[in-house]
Amino acid sequence: MPTHTHTSNRHIQTHTQSFQRSDDGNVIRGAEAPIHQRRARAVGTPGTPWTPPSGGTRSVGVMASLPVVPGHGGFVQPSSYLRPRGQSQPMASAKPESAVERDQRIGLQRIRDFLKVRTSYDVLPVSFRLIIFDTSLLVKKSLTILIQNGIVSAPLWDSKTSTFAGLLTTSDYLNLIQYYWQNPEAVNRIDQFKLNSLRDIEKAIGVSPLETISIRPTRPLYEACRRMLETRARRIPLVDYDDETGRAMVVSVVTQYRILKFVAVNVHETQLLRKPLKHLKLGTYKNLETAKMETPVFEVIHQLVNCNISSVPILNTDGVVTNVFETVDVITLIKGANYDELNLNVGEALQKRSEDFPGIYTCSIEDRLDTIFDTIRKSRVHRLVIIDEDSRLIGILTLSDILEYILLDGEGNDSKLD
């Protein structure tokens, strides 16, 4: 049975398992965990509706502004000469900074300071595995290797020029499926496509190619985060260069999740981020793409590609969130080049998920980043579905949203890279 978790302001409820940390910083499953519940919800097993428990309330405090002290009658003060003509009354004082706002500002600054002194290399675990694909490899074989190794991306290498050639992601396979849908007569040729033909497929279906980005592992982690935000990339390859020959060497790939988990583990000031989501305007709440269990998989793939998103919430007829269809679910369907599986509907496709699927994570607009960072530290979270008291969809909070907020909120003109 998969684990389903809902964040709340003080406690995280894990329905089936507890977690421990391995030497490389990853989360590993442990023994049965006690349930501490303040106000938690859980999403049911794939393909089945679920109902959250009731109970618990929150109160949001309001800090009143201090009264403005009036001026001194008709006496002329020196500051009066500095005011524009016609402005005889003193300016109202700015609203004082509350304790929560001060803590929020300090917490964000501590995170930014940490990212600026740490390098991208620091994020990597002590021991890790790196799989690199040559661009002459067949797309079909690359898909098999990804599934066998439980990964969803890999750096590309052009052996002819001995250069880094970009990053293979699930988006490339979605583009291939779009091509198959537009050109059904080409199904026999798809198995012969090589990785170096993916750019031609992008042109054929009218998709803008993703910018090939990378960063040296010795550069500040803050810079890597900014590069990802500027290009809307969810991961960035670390590429170093030999000082003598100038040849490129792919070191690893850093994801948004690994960066945020690195922050959650090492920056204790994340506990100062106590402003609720509704006050941060954090996440996406309008023009949300959704689907139902009866929606054809092909239709959801079009939504993923056209909107450049990685997931689509699945709702029932009452607008209640029952599941989430992710890009990785498409990879599971087409393994072995079995494209007939794409004719299934969403409900049938979700039944093919592996038994160790971790479930989906939800939160409310009252939840705070301190709790969300604690969840990221304990579990492999890629997004949170924001729901109301009746489990109806309100919005989506992605790791990109969180990364953008902790880097840019309140930065103003100083947010540009040096």
Side-chain angles (χ1 to χ4, degrees), residues 77-98:
Q77 300 177 357
S79 60
S80 302
Y81 294 104
L82 303 178
R83 301 190 190 107
R85 182 171 302 221
Q87 182 177 335
S88 57
Q89 296 298 322
M91 298 286 290
S93 60
K95 183 179 178 180
E97 186 179 43
S98 68

Side-chain angles (χ1 to χ4, degrees), residues 223-237:
E223 185 175 332
C225 296
R226 290 301 306 268
R227 293 291 300 277
M228 282 192 285
L229 291 179
E230 291 167 359
T231 58
R232 299 183 62 83
R234 300 180 182 94
R235 50 184 55 82
I236 184 170

Side-chain angles (χ1 to χ4, degrees), residues 5 45 95 113 158 183 201 227 266 396:
T5 304
T45 55
K95 183 179 178 180
D113 292 342
D158 189 337
N183 305 274
I201 293 176
R227 293 291 300 277
N266 294 283
I396 297 290

Side-chain angles (χ1 to χ4, degrees), residues 395-407:
I396 297 290
L397 178 64
T398 66
L399 299 188
S400 297
D401 297 328
I402 299 174
L403 192 62
E404 182 175 359
Y405 173 76
I406 64 174
L407 258 67

Side-chain angles (χ1 to χ4, degrees), residues 131-139 142 145 154-163 165 168 194-196 198:
I131 296 176
I132 303 176
F133 290 149
D134 191 282
T135 53
S136 62
L137 183 68
L138 291 174
V139 173
S142 69
I145 296 173
L156 298 177
W157 184 263
D158 189 337
S159 57
K160 294 182 178 179
T161 59
S162 295
T163 56
L168 178 70
K194 297 182 178 181
L195 295 178
N196 54 19
L198 292 176

Side-chain angles (χ1 to χ4, degrees), residues 119-178:
T119 68
S120 299
Y121 190 82
D122 294 333
V123 182
L124 303 180
V126 176
S127 176
F128 61 94
R129 174 182 54 187
L130 177 63
I131 296 176
I132 303 176
F133 290 149
D134 191 282
T135 53
S136 62
L137 183 68
L138 291 174
V139 173
K140 178 181 178 180
K141 291 185 177 181
S142 69
L143 178 61
T144 301
I145 296 173
L146 289 182
I147 294 175
Q148 289 177 345
N149 290 275
I151 57 178
V152 295
S153 67
L156 298 177
W157 184 263
D158 189 337
S159 57
K160 294 182 178 179
T161 59
S162 295
T163 56
F164 168 68
L167 190 67
L168 178 70
T169 68
T170 53
S171 297
D172 293 304
Y173 296 104
L174 294 182
N175 292 337
L176 182 64
I177 294 172
Q178 288 275 77

Side-chain angles (χ1 to χ4, degrees), residues 222-371:
Y222 182 86
E223 185 175 332
C225 296
R226 290 301 306 268
R227 293 291 300 277
M228 282 192 285
L229 291 179
E230 291 167 359
T231 58
R232 299 183 62 83
R234 300 180 182 94
R235 50 184 55 82
I236 184 170
L238 304 183
V239 180
D240 207 354
Y241 296 87
D242 188 275
D243 294 334
E244 297 181 358
T245 63
R247 291 189 58 180
M249 299 175 291
V250 181
V251 177
S252 187
V253 177
V254 173
T255 64
Q256 291 179 343
Y257 165 73
R258 184 166 288 278
I259 292 174
L260 291 176
K261 180 179 177 180
F262 187 61
V263 170
V265 171
N266 294 283
V267 183
H268 301 298
E269 285 82 0
T270 55
Q271 298 303 310
L272 297 177
L273 305 179
R274 295 182 286 110
K275 293 182 69 174
L277 294 180
K278 67 178 182 180
H279 292 163
L280 300 178
K281 298 180 180 179
L282 189 57
T284 302
Y285 301 88
K286 297 181 179 180
N287 302 320
L288 295 173
E289 294 290 327
T290 63
K292 300 182 182 302
M293 286 295 184
E294 300 77 20
T295 305
V297 170
F298 257 125
E299 185 175 324
V300 180
I301 292 176
H302 296 329
Q303 293 175 284
L304 294 170
V305 174
N306 296 335
C307 300
N308 190 27
I309 54 180
S310 60
S311 65
V312 174
I314 308 302
L315 313 181
N316 65 12
T317 54
D318 296 324
V320 173
V321 179
T322 60
N323 220 304
V324 173
F325 190 90
E326 306 173 348
T327 53
V328 293
D329 292 316
V330 180
I331 302 302
T332 303
L333 290 178
I334 63 175
K335 63 181 179 181
N338 187 10
Y339 297 102
D340 292 336
E341 297 286 328
L342 298 173
N343 295 319
L344 301 175
N345 61 36
V346 169
E348 295 169 334
L350 294 180
Q351 293 295 331
K352 296 183 177 295
R353 280 175 170 167
S354 62
E355 294 183 357
D356 60 351
F357 176 71
I360 65 176
Y361 292 82
T362 66
C363 66
S364 77
I365 58 175
E366 299 289 348
D367 286 317
R368 313 176 311 207
L369 280 182
D370 61 340
T371 303

